[in-house]
Amino acid sequence: MSLLQISEPNQSKNPHQHRYALGIDLGTTHSLVSVVRSGKAGVLPFEHSPLLPSVVYYGNQSTTPLVGEQALAYADDLTNTIISAKRFMGRAKSDIKFSHPYQLAGSDKTMPAFITAQGEKSPVETSAHILKHLKNHAAAALPPDSIQGAVITVPAYFDDAQRTATKDAATVAGLTVLRLLNEPTAAAIAYGLDKNTTHGVYLVYDLGGGTFDVSLLRLSDGVFEVLATGGNSALGGDDIDRLLANWLIKTANLNPADIDNAEKSRLAKLAKQYKQALTDSDTVAIDINIQGQTLQTTLDNQTLSQIIEPVIRRTILACGQVLADAKIDKNTLNDVILVGGSTRMPVIRQAVQTHFGRTPLCSINPDEVVAIGASIAADQLVNQSNNALLLLDVTPLSLGVETMGGLVEVIIPRNTPIPVTRRQVFTTHQDGQTGMVVHVVQGERDTVADCRSLARFELHGIPPMKAGLARIEITYAIDANGQLTVSARETTTDVVSQIQVSPSYGLSEEQQEQLLKAGFEYAQADKAARMLIELKVDAERELIALNSALQEFAELLSDEQKQALADKMQAVQAAIAQDDKAVLDDALGKLKPHSDHFASVIMNKNVKDALAGTHTSDW
């Protein structure tokens, strides 16, 4: 039996309902979801690990996409198992210069789609499946309808297209995005709150599976300010695995160029295992077969350090650039914070310690620290905490406008704290000019050809006058999520034109519509799946309660009654495993008369015991 909650007249039926917000670390190789409960942030674990593999399977072995561990079981199906989709987010096909095993569809100037057995799947759709899996996992662990939204983390070096693609994926997954938060900033929140630091300058070194980010943050009187960011959105643990796999091939006296993608993928998995083994051991024995060649050797951390030196060097150079941008000497840093699963490697920690001359901070699990920080920020947003930290992120790349001759006039320089609004006045270059095209670009180069095009729009209604007399005020505004809005206004007529920048190589409106239609199309199926999960949970709770009652009150039932109850309980247990709501409903319906009878017998005994030995005068 369960307690029944009641409420007073004219009061909420759910007087103790909580508002939860999720912190989601949408990672290249693994993803996590965290939430603040009872004032403490914690990651919601899956069956075997808090880490959900960022893998989606679209093959013939399943009629629907499989996510996480289920998808990982088909990792050998290279074409249909999408791994590291984050690397493709918001990128034009022509931008993808790293090695991958996928067949891509689309033009060079648009974000490509993966060609799979289940059709063409964009990186946004793949990420949406991962986000939806995380959302459903959190919904099963929290009270119904209590999730108010999510803070989703992105690499600090993600440009506008990649951030837009991340928000699109969340929309398709049915998540309300409270904010996009830079991963290093999320890590700083976690460490800043735990250490209760009031001031200092920190460098966050974040080396994950597929991306590297470095951020320089100043923490002063509860205000996190990002002084500078840098990194590489296509550098991470996957590259370490590939370098080590190539070393294995060369050590076996073979040429990496002669090895096919399937064999390279197998060797990269083995390389990852050897890499992880060296986290807790100085040496690992290698005994593998590569295309008929047997390789028997040993690998130690010193050799590993030499093999992955190109990755280490590039991360240290990025750290130096960020310090130079902020005009900060590395010796003045208060601490260096390690984030990302790849920072578990002793060779990485040693390289960072040697360069900065200090032992880096790694007291919080580097795999979980970003998700934990995101959930803290999310909780503050939905519950309007008075202790909320002020977060001053920065724009990762300069934003400008094309001027005559294909030059770039920077409106918002790189590493400007956001949210921010900047205005600049321009004029016409031809007599009688009544319109102009505003071309928004992003990058650090002086010419448009060397920068990335974000958007174009037109302003009409400029009064015809001599060249140079018109005054066109162009405004760039970036909100807290990094969303850019550009407007142009002719000051004498007050004619205005504006655009919210959604880059041409991001998700098109047609693609958004298709994915949203798919969300509505499968809404009933999703609802049915949720109902089945809730019913299974209730059934399991019922069985636990009955087993507990049997241990204490079994003697109150006859042998026939006990056997009948046990048979019905066994039928419910079998129905739980069948994933069929009708079968489970039927099994629970047949169990109910027996469980109700058992409950009434127990209640009668308790009442009898309570009244035993009393007299009417006592009443």
Side-chain angles (χ1 to χ4, degrees), residues 237-250:
D238 293 346
D239 300 280
I240 292 174
D241 298 342
R242 279 190 283 271
L243 284 174
L244 188 50
N246 282 339
W247 177 82
L248 293 172
I249 294 170
K250 292 175 182 177

Side-chain angles (χ1 to χ4, degrees), residues 552-553 555-556 601-614 619:
E552 188 174 355
F553 299 109
E555 72 279 359
L556 299 180
V601 170
I602 295 172
M603 182 177 290
N604 289 338
K605 178 184 183 304
N606 289 336
V607 170
K608 184 177 180 180
D609 290 346
L611 295 177
T614 61
W619 299 86

Side-chain angles (χ1 to χ4, degrees), residues 176-348:
T176 300
V177 180
L178 301 173
R179 184 175 182 185
L180 294 181
L181 187 64
N182 285 346
E183 291 166 1
T185 305
I189 293 172
Y191 272 103
L193 289 177
D194 288 355
K195 295 179 67 175
N196 196 28
T197 306
T198 57
H199 60 83
V201 178
Y202 302 87
L203 185 136
V204 182
Y205 179 103
D206 183 356
L207 185 61
T211 59
F212 172 66
D213 296 296
V214 56
S215 290
L216 197 63
L217 304 102
R218 177 184 287 124
L219 178 60
S220 178
D221 298 325
V223 177
F224 275 113
E225 180 183 3
V226 182
L227 301 177
T229 64
N232 191 323
S233 57
L235 178 69
D238 293 346
D239 300 280
I240 292 174
D241 298 342
R242 279 190 283 271
L243 284 174
L244 188 50
N246 282 339
W247 177 82
L248 293 172
I249 294 170
K250 292 175 182 177
T251 305
N253 296 315
L254 296 171
N255 187 348
D258 298 332
I259 307 299
D260 61 30
N261 285 333
E263 180 69 355
K264 284 183 177 178
S265 178
R266 182 184 74 86
L267 292 174
K269 291 177 188 175
L270 291 173
K272 184 175 183 178
Q273 294 174 12
Y274 297 139
K275 175 186 74 176
Q276 292 173 341
L278 287 173
T279 300
D280 302 313
S281 176
D282 292 331
T283 306
V284 59
I286 295 173
D287 185 358
I288 59 174
N289 184 284
I290 306 176
Q291 291 193 338
Q293 300 281 345
T294 299
L295 175 62
Q296 292 180 325
T297 185
T298 58
L299 176 67
D300 56 30
N301 274 309
Q302 183 177 354
T303 305
L304 179 62
S305 179
Q306 295 170 358
I307 295 168
I308 68 171
E309 189 275 335
V311 170
I312 296 175
R313 183 178 68 253
R314 290 167 70 185
T315 66
I316 296 300
L317 286 173
C319 292
Q321 183 60 55
V322 165
L323 288 166
D325 287 346
K327 298 179 174 59
I328 297 289
D329 188 277
K330 66 179 183 180
N331 295 320
T332 65
L333 294 173
N334 289 72
D335 268 310
V336 177
I337 301 172
L338 296 185
V339 178
S342 295
T343 62
R344 293 180 182 276
M345 298 173 62
V347 294
I348 296 292

Side-chain angles (χ1 to χ4, degrees), residues 31 130 143 145 200 224 239 252 352 366 385 403 447 471 520 582 592 614:
S31 297
I130 296 169
D145 303 320
F224 275 113
D239 300 280
V352 173
S385 169
T403 58
T447 60
R471 291 291 179 266
F520 288 118
K592 192 174 188 304
T614 61

Side-chain angles (χ1 to χ4, degrees), residues 77-235:
D77 186 353
L78 301 179
T79 303
N80 297 313
T81 306
I82 310 303
I83 300 174
S84 299
K86 185 174 177 178
R87 283 192 162 193
F88 298 81
M89 290 283 278
R91 288 178 171 270
K93 190 177 179 181
S94 59
D95 291 334
I96 299 169
K97 305 190 185 300
F98 49 85
S99 174
H100 64 82
Y102 310 116
Q103 299 178 42
L104 302 180
S107 67
D108 284 347
K109 294 191 176 296
T110 62
M111 188 164 57
F114 305 109
I115 300 175
T116 74
Q118 295 182 21
E120 294 184 1
K121 304 294 181 180
S122 76
V124 170
E125 187 172 1
T126 302
S127 296
H129 282 126
I130 296 169
L131 287 170
K132 189 168 186 178
H133 195 85
L134 293 169
K135 173 193 170 187
N136 291 341
H137 178 62
L142 298 172
D145 303 320
S146 62
I147 298 175
Q148 305 298 308
V151 167
I152 301 176
T153 61
V154 294
Y157 213 65
F158 255 26
D159 60 25
D160 210 63
Q162 292 164 309
R163 292 169 188 265
T164 299
T166 302
K167 291 181 71 175
D168 289 339
T171 300
V172 172
L175 276 168
T176 300
V177 180
L178 301 173
R179 184 175 182 185
L180 294 181
L181 187 64
N182 285 346
E183 291 166 1
T185 305
I189 293 172
Y191 272 103
L193 289 177
D194 288 355
K195 295 179 67 175
N196 196 28
T197 306
T198 57
H199 60 83
V201 178
Y202 302 87
L203 185 136
V204 182
Y205 179 103
D206 183 356
L207 185 61
T211 59
F212 172 66
D213 296 296
V214 56
S215 290
L216 197 63
L217 304 102
R218 177 184 287 124
L219 178 60
S220 178
D221 298 325
V223 177
F224 275 113
E225 180 183 3
V226 182
L227 301 177
T229 64
N232 191 323
S233 57
L235 178 69

